[in-house]
Amino acid sequence: MARKYIIVNTSELSSLDYNELITTSSSTARQNLAGDKALVSYEGTTPSALSGKTEYTNAQIQAIVNDINNGWYEEEE
């Protein structure tokens, strides 16, 4: 079964059922540098709280978070 990834607003993290996710808690969800978006993942059926949100494959989410212009990391000086 392929893992799926979804980007959510950090304000939504407290309302997610982590029993339905691979992400174990709001504190382990990867957040962007601005702190307003977070990444959660799951396998199987889409959790109802995430229904209608854009799903990404591993390759797609890697392209997003590894692009410095998307605000998920900054280069070391």
Side-chain angles (χ1 to χ4, degrees):
M1 206 174 306
R3 186 175 294 193
K4 298 286 186 182
Y5 300 85
I6 294 183
I7 297 172
V8 297
N9 293 321
T10 51
S11 60
E12 297 174 80
L13 289 173
S14 62
S15 64
L16 298 178
D17 181 352
Y18 291 93
N19 293 316
E20 298 177 317
L21 301 173
I22 294 170
T23 307
T24 57
S25 70
S26 60
S27 62
T28 62
R30 180 175 177 173
Q31 293 188 19
N32 67 353
L33 296 174
D36 61 347
K37 302 283 183 198
L39 182 62
V40 296
S41 61
Y42 67 93
E43 288 180 345
T45 306
T46 305
S48 58
L50 300 175
S51 182
K53 296 192 178 290
T54 303
E55 297 177 341
Y56 300 95
T57 65
N58 184 277
Q60 290 170 323
I61 206 65
Q62 289 296 321
I64 291 168
V65 300
N66 290 327
D67 182 340
I68 195 161
N69 297 314
N70 289 333
W72 288 88
Y73 85 98
E74 56 190 357
E75 290 184 324
E76 294 180 25
E77 294 182 22

